[in-house]
Amino acid sequence: MSSSQGSTLSSNVAELVDGSSSHRDVSLLDDVPVYVKELIAGGTAGAFAKTVIAPLERTKILLQTRTEGFQSLGVFQSLKKLLKHEGILGFYKGNGASVIRIVPYAALHFMTYEQYRVWILNNCPALGTGPVIDLLAGSVAGGTAVLCTYPLDLARTKLAYQVADTRGGFRRGMKSICAQPAYNGIKDVLTGVYKEGGMRALYRGIGPTLTGILPYAGLKFYVYEELKRHVPEEHQSIVMRLSCGAIAGLFGQTITYPLDVVRRQMQVENLQPFSQGNARYRNTFEGLSTIVRNQGWKQLFAGLSINYIKIVPSVAIGFAAYDTMKVWLRIPPRQKSQSISPG
């Protein structure tokens, strides 16, 4: 018995000396399929980025949906009002739904982007191997991720739209909202919305979402990868990736932001009091024209300033975290254009 224990001890010591246990860990990691690693990397990056900018995301939704008591406030005043009436936790209201949505969304978005990119390179030689591949792959990947996770985005928006006075002094200005049905969590939102209008209600606002996400996701990946191509490999630091990601997010978001406003208003239509003069939109174009006619063209860009503030860290952190996770998970480098053999 003692000799057996002695041999076990010496084998453990030998493993520590020659590093065989670490080799075994590396081997296990290498056995994980690449697409699974991409899912893990994308989901982790998305959750981290979304949590960092949660207070700004909550405030942006309140401004976009013209929530009572926040219509005439700026970003800083809105944050102060939320802190006063709901406390620190108010900044993160709806963030649980947001993270639950963003993990599968970001995981699918990054993974399908990589897979679509390889597929296009291998099967559509007429498209070449330039940045247009990133534009197409990013667009289709964005659409795929949205279709799979949209009900969670709807739940996140409805939860963030509700403003309740948890400190006893916000009642008078919130009467019209408090009269509307309140949701207690993600499951409550999904169940209530489904009972209200079935699957169609769960995908209310999907039109402007897809219309916006296809160019936004494509432009985001296109700009990010194109900027990285102009930086030598040895200079590609985290700061560089953060900068490229920030520029990519700003460019894509500016072009598609009005569609995001239409989507948010469609998602919370049944929660808004009729006294605000909000009409139901049948489609994206009607939503855009009605907002311009009834609320003014500036409403199409309501919350854009805070979106700029949040999009810089959000997209930048997302891309940088994803690239870092790819290194940690030992994901092989992307297929390079030079390596594509004709036929």
Side-chain angles (χ1 to χ4, degrees), residues 110-165:
F110 281 107
M111 185 274 286
T112 53
Y113 161 73
E114 301 283 6
Q115 299 300 316
Y116 286 141
R117 186 178 182 279
V118 171
W119 188 89
I120 293 171
L121 283 171
N122 291 334
N123 295 279
C124 304
L127 294 175
T129 57
V132 69
I133 302 299
D134 296 307
L135 183 67
L136 291 173
S139 296
V140 182
T144 302
V146 162
L147 285 171
C148 293
T149 62
Y150 187 78
L152 291 171
D153 182 58
L154 182 76
R156 183 273 301 256
T157 300
K158 286 183 180 291
L159 288 172
Y161 174 74
Q162 296 175 161
V163 181
D165 186 2

Side-chain angles (χ1 to χ4, degrees), residues 227-248:
L227 289 172
K228 275 175 58 180
R229 282 190 187 99
H230 289 83
V231 180
E233 194 74 33
E234 61 271 15
H235 295 131
Q236 291 197 9
S237 63
I238 288 183
V239 173
M240 183 279 300
R241 292 190 176 99
L242 286 169
S243 301
C244 292
I247 295 170

Side-chain angles (χ1 to χ4, degrees), residues 88-111:
I88 292 292
L89 292 179
F91 290 148
Y92 293 89
K93 190 173 182 181
N95 190 55
S98 187
V99 170
I100 289 174
R101 178 195 76 92
I102 204 64
V103 169
Y105 174 83
L108 284 169
H109 196 179
F110 281 107
M111 185 274 286

